[in-house]
Every structure is written in C-alpha cells, then in structure tokens.
Amino acid sequence: MTTHFITAEIDLQETPAELLQVIETELKKQGEPLRWAITSVDVEEQKATVEAVVTTPKS
C-alpha cells in the first residue's frame, strides 16, 4: 500500500450528514481514507477545503 496526502474542495451542503457523505465519496475516489479534516471554509464561495491521507494499492 502507498499513502498519499490529498486536498479536495467540497461544496457545502444543507446538512452536516450530507456534507459527511459528499466528503467520504470524494475521498474514496482517490483511495481509502485513513484520516481527514476540514481545514478551511470559504463562506462566500460556499466551499470547504478538506485535507486527507489516503492509501492506494501498490501498483
């Protein structure tokens, strides 16, 4: 397995549960998330920046 540090920009959602689902779905596109955190929120643009560490199978 290989670990990667990634950053994703996520559109803010109506509810925290929806936001959690969108974040998890987006991170799984890059690999299996080990940990993640919302590191900033742009209220004007309605976007959250998420930083994460994900693992991917070794190629």
Side-chain angles (χ1 to χ4, degrees):
M1 275 196 190
T2 305
T3 59
H4 301 278
F5 177 79
I6 63 168
T7 302
E9 219 177 57
I10 307 292
D11 291 331
L12 294 178
Q13 304 297 310
E14 292 293 321
T15 67
E18 289 174 334
L19 181 59
L20 176 60
Q21 182 64 39
V22 170
I23 290 170
E24 289 175 344
T25 300
E26 187 63 31
L27 294 179
K28 286 187 182 226
K29 292 178 185 176
Q30 303 291 322
E32 186 62 35
L34 292 177
R35 68 165 188 83
W36 60 267
I38 297 174
T39 57
S40 68
V41 174
D42 185 333
V43 178
E44 290 179 11
E45 296 291 324
Q46 291 292 292
K47 298 213 181 263
T49 300
V50 176
E51 293 180 353
V53 174
V54 298
T55 60
T56 56
K58 220 173 210 178
S59 329

